[in-house]
Amino acid sequence: MNVLLVYAHPEPRSLNGSLKDFSIRRLEAAGHAVQVSDLYAMDWKASLDVHDSLDHEDGVRFDPSLASRHAFERGTQTGDITREQEKLRWADTLILQFPLWWFSMPAILKGWVERVYAYGFAYGVGEHSDARWGDRYGEGSLAGKRAMLIVTTGGWESHYGPRGINGPMEDLLFPIHHGILYYPGFDVLPPFVIHRTGRIDAARYARIEDELGQRLDTLATTAPIAFRPQNAGDYAIPELTLRDDIAPGRSGFAVHVA
Amino acid sequence: MNVLLVYAHPEPRSLNGSLKDFSIRRLEAAGHAVQVSDLYAMDWKASLDVHDSLDHEDGVRFDPSLASRHAFERGTQTGDITREQEKLRWADTLILQFPLWWFSMPAILKGWVERVYAYGFAYGVGEHSDARWGDRYGEGSLAGKRAMLIVTTGGWESHYGPRGINGPMEDLLFPIHHGILYYPGFDVLPPFVIHRTGRIDAARYARIEDELGQRLDTLATTAPIAFRPQNAGDYAIPELTLRDDIAPGRSGFAVHVA
């Protein structure tokens, strides 16, 4: 299959850099085609602004959604944006690899999402009616593809446990898993998370490669997180609240997993 | 008091731009001193990299935390970073104002956090022992100051409700409230959130200014979110998990609010 690895770490000679190189080798050895978007090496423009539309006229009020919609429809997006969209179309599986900085993805990767996820491409897709609220959350331009995060963090696993002070890792990643990946249609696999990156000796590094290798070997068969599709009856439309008879009395991120 | 408003929207003639101008007027009229970091107007550098240290030597492996620590200690941070740190020291209250993009802050603001929050300034502060795990989560360089978010979103309030499809707004904002603001010591006030920004007529805009004005008038007296301090006995150290007898049987972000 075709795998797109979007990678956000500034230093090639880092744990992240080593694992990126390992992943490419492992995937290619298994016969997959791999493209890498190494955002720091590409000097990726992180901030969404008027310059993302080639036909922006000075002095015209900038509406980010409207400008994105027009540029996507008219073919006036900048080349860096269209190239990433082409890679996403080409990919069967998307991997986002990054260190957890301040409990989310690095700014350079957030800016990749904001700029590449154009209106008409990743949002603003499909019709709104009494039965549907656009093609999103399980439907959309990227439906049928898979996605997985590879995340590193300096903190201990217990700090990110169910009662850990940082909050549970699965909840910290929910806005990415559900809001960035499931939203435009990806099936989202459980993440591969490495804790306590300041304490990795050769033996532990070898174990990490083993475990990551198994995850890469099973990308096509691993069961995705069972997020609930928006338009299949679980949610009231247009309120988009979970129906009373589903997960009754519960609330929070977890109710959106069947 | 001194108020720092860090503002992240690319268009001055937007709802966000209008509310930013309103907030400055309101605060100044009440006798407060206001500084604004208008990140788009400043062309803020969003991506943390080797160039954030003036004394980085080419070819030396870049460790983001270590480089930040050295630059902060040696006074070799870039001027844009030190200026923002000075504003934070000066401020009694910090306001972060931004549109919610892909369920978090815009990349340009995330990059402000990553670059301004240096090691030794916002993290890596204080000692680690059997009783303390650094000065963080309620202690730290910014303790005694207050912080509040002003957030706009196109979606409906119900979409962000307890059972709304996007996840509860308070949970989406937890990584910012708790992980970015409470972490270095801020007391965090409840956010001011504006939903459905595509449907704002003059009457609704007037109501929004009224409500925001009241929040600005009461910055000094509004009760902060009662996050649990890390080093006051609620958490086991070094596991940093909530002790069994506190919020027994519960888990998730909410257990970190007393």
Side-chain angles (χ1 to χ4, degrees), chain A residues 11 40 48 62 137 166, chain B residues 11 40 48 62 137 163 166:
Chain A
E11 174 54 66
Y40 273 98
L48 179 160
F62 176 56
Y137 287 128
N166 295 336
Chain B
E11 173 56 64
Y40 273 98
L48 179 160
F62 176 56
Y137 287 129
R163 288 164 59 85
N166 294 338

Side-chain angles (χ1 to χ4, degrees), chain A:
Chain A
M1 63 183 175
N2 296 337
V3 181
L4 172 60
L5 173 57
V6 181
Y7 164 78
H9 195 286
E11 174 54 66
R13 294 160 295 178
S14 60
L15 172 65
N16 266 283
S18 298
L19 293 175
K20 182 254 295 172
D21 294 340
F22 167 79
S23 295
I24 296 168
R25 289 196 305 271
R26 182 80 165 219
L27 290 164
E28 289 183 343
H32 303 305
V34 181
Q35 290 195 71
V36 179
S37 292
D38 181 342
L39 298 184
Y40 273 98
M42 294 158 70
D43 198 18
W44 178 260
K45 173 179 175 287
S47 300
L48 179 160
D49 62 24
V50 295
H51 304 297
D52 297 330
S53 301
L54 295 173
D55 56 355
H56 175 75
E57 294 173 31
D58 285 347
V60 175
R61 177 178 158 164
F62 176 56
D63 179 311
S65 290
L66 201 60
S68 173
R69 177 181 192 163
H70 287 166
F72 182 74
E73 287 176 352
R74 296 171 183 168
T76 56
Q77 300 176 120
T78 55
D80 60 345
I81 293 175
T82 54
R83 281 190 292 277
E84 296 305 302
Q85 291 169 346
E86 283 306 314
K87 291 179 192 171
L88 283 169
R89 287 195 187 90
W90 167 87
D92 302 299
T93 295
L94 168 68
I95 296 174
L96 303 181
Q97 184 190 342
F98 58 91
L100 195 72
W101 286 352
W102 295 105
F103 307 103
S104 187
M105 54 173 62
I108 199 171
L109 178 54
K110 181 67 179 358
W112 180 88
V113 173
E114 290 170 7
R115 297 182 59 238
V116 175
Y117 267 35
Y119 188 111
F121 180 73
Y123 70 110
V125 177
E127 298 300 316
H128 287 61
S129 70
D130 291 347
R132 304 183 54 76
W133 191 264
D135 297 345
R136 59 176 212 171
Y137 287 128
E139 300 173 290
S141 304
L142 302 171
K145 303 176 186 293
R146 300 184 146 227
M148 184 176 90
L149 304 183
I150 299 175
V151 181
T152 61
T153 177
W156 300 20
E157 187 166 3
S158 64
H159 302 176
Y160 293 93
R163 289 164 59 84
I165 194 166
N166 295 336
M169 182 60 80
E170 66 188 76
D171 290 341
L172 293 170
L173 296 181
F174 179 89
I176 302 172
H177 281 151
H178 187 260
I180 289 176
L181 295 172
Y182 189 60
Y183 189 104
F186 285 107
D187 289 323
V188 184
L189 306 187
F192 185 77
V193 181
I194 302 158
H195 293 279
R196 220 174 168 183
T197 52
R199 298 290 180 94
I200 300 190
D201 58 15
R204 186 167 171 227
Y205 182 76
R207 284 200 305 277
I208 291 169
E209 279 200 350
D210 276 350
E211 292 166 9
L212 176 57
Q214 290 177 30
R215 290 299 309 273
L216 296 173
D217 292 346
T218 54
L219 281 176
T221 54
T222 298
I225 301 170
F227 289 128
R228 302 178 186 278
Q230 176 185 268
N231 297 319
D234 285 2
Y235 295 91
I237 294 175
E239 299 82 2
L240 300 184
T241 51
L242 201 59
R243 291 186 181 283
D244 291 346
D245 56 327
I246 296 175
R250 293 171 50 215
S251 63
F253 292 160
V255 300
H256 303 293
V257 179

Side-chain angles (χ1 to χ4, degrees), chain B residues 6-243:
Chain B
V6 180
Y7 165 78
H9 194 285
E11 173 56 64
R13 294 161 295 180
S14 60
L15 172 65
N16 266 284
S18 297
L19 293 175
K20 183 254 295 170
D21 294 341
F22 167 78
S23 295
I24 297 168
R25 288 196 306 272
R26 183 80 164 217
L27 290 164
E28 290 183 341
H32 303 305
V34 181
Q35 289 195 71
V36 180
S37 291
D38 181 341
L39 299 184
Y40 273 98
M42 294 158 70
D43 197 18
W44 178 259
K45 173 178 176 289
S47 300
L48 179 160
D49 62 24
V50 294
H51 305 296
D52 297 330
S53 300
L54 295 172
D55 56 354
H56 175 74
E57 293 174 31
D58 284 347
V60 175
R61 176 179 160 164
F62 176 56
D63 179 310
S65 289
L66 201 60
S68 173
R69 178 181 192 162
H70 288 166
F72 181 74
E73 286 176 353
R74 297 171 183 168
T76 56
Q77 301 177 118
T78 57
D80 59 346
I81 293 174
T82 53
R83 280 191 293 276
E84 296 304 303
Q85 291 170 347
E86 283 306 314
K87 291 179 191 170
L88 283 169
R89 287 195 187 90
W90 167 87
D92 302 298
T93 296
L94 168 68
I95 297 174
L96 302 181
Q97 184 190 342
F98 58 91
L100 195 72
W101 285 352
W102 295 105
F103 307 103
S104 186
M105 54 173 61
I108 198 170
L109 179 54
K110 181 67 177 2
W112 181 89
V113 173
E114 290 169 6
R115 298 183 58 238
V116 175
Y117 268 34
Y119 187 110
F121 180 72
Y123 70 110
V125 177
E127 298 301 317
H128 288 62
S129 70
D130 291 347
R132 304 184 52 78
W133 189 264
D135 296 345
R136 59 176 212 170
Y137 287 129
E139 299 172 291
S141 304
L142 302 171
K145 303 175 186 292
R146 301 184 144 225
M148 184 177 90
L149 304 183
I150 300 176
V151 181
T152 61
T153 177
W156 300 20
E157 187 166 2
S158 63
H159 302 176
Y160 293 93
R163 288 164 59 85
I165 193 164
N166 294 338
M169 182 60 79
E170 67 189 75
D171 290 342
L172 293 170
L173 297 182
F174 179 89
I176 302 172
H177 280 151
H178 187 259
I180 291 176
L181 296 172
Y182 189 60
Y183 188 105
F186 285 107
D187 289 323
V188 184
L189 306 188
F192 185 78
V193 181
I194 302 159
H195 293 279
R196 221 176 167 180
T197 52
R199 298 291 180 91
I200 299 190
D201 59 15
R204 188 170 168 224
Y205 181 75
R207 283 200 305 277
I208 291 169
E209 279 201 349
D210 276 351
E211 292 165 9
L212 177 55
Q214 291 178 31
R215 291 299 309 273
L216 297 173
D217 292 346
T218 54
L219 281 176
T221 54
T222 298
I225 301 170
F227 290 127
R228 300 178 188 278
Q230 175 185 270
N231 296 320
D234 285 1
Y235 296 91
I237 293 174
E239 300 83 2
L240 300 183
T241 51
L242 201 60
R243 291 188 180 281

